[in-house]
Amino acid sequence: MRAELPGWVERVISVPRFAPYLGALSGDRLVAWDLYQWNIQVSEAFYGPLHCLEICLRNAEHDRLRTRFRTDDWWRVAPLDESEAAKVAAAKQKLARKGIGLPTADDVVTELTFGFWVSLLSRKYDRHLWVPALHRAFPYYSGRREPLRDSLQTMVFLRNRIMHHEPIHHRHLAADHDKIYRLLGYVEPQVVGWLRAFDRVPDLLTRRPGGRRR
């Protein structure tokens, strides 16, 4: 049985970074270290579902918008506001730094962020994007736009925390997981069955250190 935390942990991980794990477990350093390692594992496991959600969302929206505006590079003619137009410009600049001076539409689509695609579901685009086109990107959804957009935005937040190596152990991860599947189902239900075959999140949620399962 372990007697104490390895001496290098707080030196390498840093005291401030380790503090949220200690705080979650009343200062038990050994269990906090287990929680830190579990946080890495469950973050890794969430990558698959979040990957599927982001890919499905961007391709569904892209398909509807290029149909609506009759061009693959629909952002040239769509009424994007300054914020989203700047994100497209930043994507092109990033591609240029990679040596892709004349990017295809697919190149740009791939470079645009998860947050960009969710931002297209904002109220400001109701008239020009949602009503004429983007609602069709979710053929199995019949609710209002705002709850859909809000749910997707929480997934952007979760994705960003994972990609920036932040704690997610404090979240209601079972609810997050259910939400990803629900959102995927709005776009293409068959993806849900395919993803469940290799999704490791449910198993990891049963093995959270400290005895709390969420």
Side-chain angles (χ1 to χ4, degrees):
M1 185 174 181
R2 296 172 303 170
E4 60 182 27
L5 193 69
W8 56 265
V9 169
E10 290 185 350
R11 183 176 69 254
V12 174
I13 303 302
S14 85
V15 172
R17 188 168 186 83
F18 196 49
Y21 301 89
L22 284 169
L25 294 165
S26 302
D28 187 321
R29 293 161 61 84
L30 292 178
V31 183
W33 179 232
D34 289 339
L35 182 61
Y36 183 91
Q37 296 174 90
W38 179 85
N39 193 86
I40 295 174
Q41 292 175 321
V42 78
S43 294
E44 178 188 14
F46 262 101
Y47 173 84
L50 286 169
H51 165 94
C52 292
L53 179 60
E54 181 173 352
I55 295 297
C56 287
L57 176 68
R58 81 183 187 195
N59 287 337
E61 290 192 8
H62 176 53
D63 284 346
R64 300 321 309 170
L65 290 171
R66 65 182 178 181
T67 297
R68 168 65 177 170
F69 295 103
R70 300 181 181 180
T71 179
D72 287 347
D73 52 352
W74 50 266
W75 45 85
R76 290 191 305 105
V77 293
L80 299 182
D81 77 0
E82 184 177 345
S83 176
E84 278 65 57
K87 292 173 183 176
V88 173
K92 291 179 179 179
Q93 291 169 4
K94 189 173 181 179
L95 288 165
R97 290 195 294 272
K98 294 179 180 179
I100 306 174
L102 294 173
T104 65
D106 285 340
D107 290 332
V108 176
V109 166
T110 300
E111 203 64 53
L112 289 166
T113 66
F114 192 5
F116 170 84
W117 298 105
V118 175
S119 71
L120 298 183
L121 302 175
S122 300
R123 183 173 60 182
K124 62 187 175 182
Y125 292 124
D126 269 356
R127 179 181 176 186
H128 297 292
L129 300 185
W130 174 256
V131 172
L134 287 183
H135 74 279
R136 296 188 179 91
F138 308 91
Y140 301 93
Y141 179 71
S142 58
R144 293 164 47 243
R145 175 198 53 76
E146 289 182 1
L148 176 65
R149 186 263 179 194
D150 290 347
S151 291
L152 285 163
Q153 187 60 48
T154 64
M155 295 299 98
V156 172
F157 181 77
L158 174 61
R159 180 264 182 205
N160 288 345
R161 288 195 69 82
I162 289 172
M163 297 307 292
H164 289 93
H165 319 304
E166 297 291 338
I168 63 169
H169 62 82
H170 59 287
R171 294 178 61 93
H172 193 328
L173 293 175
D176 286 329
H177 187 254
D178 289 344
K179 186 176 291 185
I180 291 172
Y181 274 85
R182 187 165 63 252
L183 291 166
L184 280 170
Y186 296 152
V187 179
E188 177 47 74
Q190 293 188 68
V191 174
V192 171
W194 169 74
L195 177 58
R196 287 193 192 280
F198 60 89
D199 183 3
R200 297 187 297 111
V201 172
D203 176 59
L204 281 164
L205 292 182
T206 69
R207 296 192 275 120
R208 183 188 190 278
R212 188 176 69 180
R213 296 181 181 181
R214 294 188 66 181

